[in-house]
Amino acid sequence: MSAPRTRRAAVTGIGVVAPNGTSTDTFWKATQEGVSVLDRITREGCDHLPLRVGGEVRAFDPSVIEERFLVQTDRFSHFAMAAADRALEDARLGQADVDGAPFSAGVVTAAGSGGGEFGQRELQQLWGRGSRFVGPYQSIAWFYAASTGQISIRRGFKGPCSVVAADEAGGLDALAHAARAVERGTRVIVAGSTEAPLAPYSMVCQLGYEELSTLDDPVRAYRPFTADACGFVPGEGGAMLVVEAETSARDRGVPVRATLAGHAATFTGASRWELSREGLAQAIRGALDEAGCAPEQVDVVFADALGIPQADRAEALAIADALGAHGRRVPVTAPKTGIGRAYCAAPVLDAAAAVLAMEHGLIPPTPNVVDICHDLDLVTVRARAAEVRTALVLSRGLMGSNTALVLRHGTP
């Protein structure tokens, strides 16, 4: 087992902007009820594309962000700034708490699609009207690090700030990066991921993914772990978490919602799903080892749930390989089948749902999935009451990353 940590990283705040809810409360209500909001994509300029179904954030009000930041940034950064605000409010960390020690606060995000909508609009101005009609923010708004930069500027955070570029699994890697910064002495890190890939340019780029589902039936388009699995559908939105030292949280008198107990990552190559079995199993073992957690202590697994047969089979086998006999009886869930797979943001939304599942003693179901063809105890149809003290969150990227994160409820 790994050496015990002397400064444990805790989650004290959660902020969510998701297709099924633009607050943590509405997100959790829909998630625990197994509500699916997958539907035909309605964004302008997308109706002629073969990608028909996705998880859109339709209730988001961008006016919660100051106008000067709105005009500088893409939709994915609007989501990030709003989610960061809500996470900080949830953690009871006000501006005054940071202003006195700005170098003790930082930001870590992960992003895959970047600011595609903003970039497309400005390039159309360049092609159609000329260079004088391209705004100065084109140089930064599309960039995958834009959300980290804008949150830190807007909030005056001058501590460790970074962006993780590690495929879809980068969302979990960002949380682990935050935990390590806190363990090294940083007071607080806002960490997570948001994505906005449902714009014409971004969607055309995604059409190259063989794993993408192009079915036009929202109920059938994304059904992992079933015989008719045909790929995943994309989603947008995401979540930001406040990560701080457990001792700091207790000194401030705020609840420790969960601890980031263990993390590990591997790489097995783009779309080599048969190899992801070994890679994901190794990541699970590494995360459990760092957490000092035995396999039988895992109370729920939030699955990657890619939705193609060979990848689903590899994941089911990886869980069994890493958890042994317990892997066939531990409850497994994939709430993302109701909101879409939001790339780097997908596993962060799963991590948020895992914290909420531990708090409420309720494992959310996997929407639209019933007939399981793998040896998994997949939670379907309705939520399952359970004492959840330890959650395992899994993620794999289309380019080959495999990551596992262990969360524990409060103080283990």
Side-chain angles (χ1 to χ4, degrees), residues 7 10 26 61 77 79 83 107 223 270 286 303 315 335 341 343 345 362 390:
R7 184 178 164 91
T26 56
D61 180 6
S77 293
F79 292 154
V107 184
R223 286 182 168 178
E315 182 171 22
R341 184 182 173 92
Y343 296 102
L362 205 61
T390 301

Side-chain angles (χ1 to χ4, degrees), residues 87-326:
L88 288 163
E89 181 181 4
D90 187 41
R92 292 184 238 160
L93 267 170
Q95 200 61 47
D97 295 306
V98 176
D99 287 344
F103 292 97
S104 68
V107 184
V108 182
T109 65
S113 61
E117 187 173 40
F118 193 108
Q120 177 181 339
R121 183 176 66 244
E122 295 302 306
L123 288 174
Q124 286 175 325
Q125 289 282 75
L126 174 64
W127 297 332
R129 304 182 67 186
S131 60
R132 288 187 299 170
F133 293 90
V134 178
Y137 301 114
Q138 164 67 355
S139 61
I140 58 171
W142 67 270
F143 193 44
Y144 58 88
S147 295
T148 289
Q150 294 292 357
I151 293 170
S152 63
I153 291 168
R154 186 165 172 259
R155 285 286 181 169
F157 291 180
K158 300 181 179 180
C161 291
S162 58
V163 60
V164 177
D167 215 353
E168 287 97 320
L172 293 186
D173 295 339
L175 299 182
H177 195 85
R180 283 159 175 69
V182 165
E183 289 161 9
R184 290 192 297 266
T186 301
R187 180 188 174 195
V188 60
I189 298 282
V190 177
S193 176
T194 57
E195 300 270 28
L198 303 183
Y201 171 75
S202 300
M203 287 173 59
V204 168
C205 292
Q206 293 169 69
L207 292 175
Y209 297 145
E210 294 180 357
E211 296 86 356
L212 194 73
S213 171
T214 55
L215 285 187
D216 59 7
D217 180 353
V219 176
R220 297 174 52 242
Y222 185 20
R223 286 182 168 178
F225 304 116
T226 67
D228 58 353
C230 59
F232 72 93
V233 301
E236 62 178 357
M240 301 295 292
L241 309 183
V242 172
V243 180
E244 63 181 302
E246 185 179 31
T247 52
S248 169
R250 300 203 184 283
D251 289 345
R252 293 198 304 112
V254 298
V256 171
R257 304 187 70 167
T259 56
L260 296 165
H263 164 270
T266 63
F267 180 79
T268 48
S271 296
R272 302 177 71 181
W273 300 116
E274 70 285 354
L275 297 184
S276 76
R277 171 184 177 177
E278 181 181 1
L280 187 59
Q282 186 60 31
I284 293 170
R285 294 187 191 101
L288 292 175
D289 180 62
E290 186 173 77
C293 179
E296 58 271 16
Q297 291 178 289
V298 175
D299 298 310
V300 63
V301 176
F302 281 75
D304 176 60
L306 186 64
I308 62 171
Q310 58 267 48
D312 293 344
R313 180 176 184 274
E315 182 171 22
L317 291 171
I319 293 170
D321 291 345
L323 301 185
H326 186 61

Side-chain angles (χ1 to χ4, degrees), residues 11-18 20-21 23-32 90 238-241 256-259 300 302 333 335 348-364 383-391 393 407-410:
V11 176
T12 56
I14 301 173
V16 174
V17 176
N20 64 349
S23 71
T24 303
D25 288 343
T26 56
F27 164 75
W28 175 245
K29 184 177 187 297
T31 299
Q32 72 174 4
D90 187 41
M240 301 295 292
L241 309 183
V256 171
R257 304 187 70 167
T259 56
V300 63
F302 281 75
T333 186
V348 185
L349 285 165
D350 279 347
V355 174
L356 293 162
M358 289 189 282
E359 291 179 344
H360 290 86
L362 205 61
I363 299 172
R384 184 184 301 178
E387 182 180 8
V388 183
R389 304 293 302 177
T390 301
V393 184
L407 294 163
R408 301 197 108 163
H409 181 242

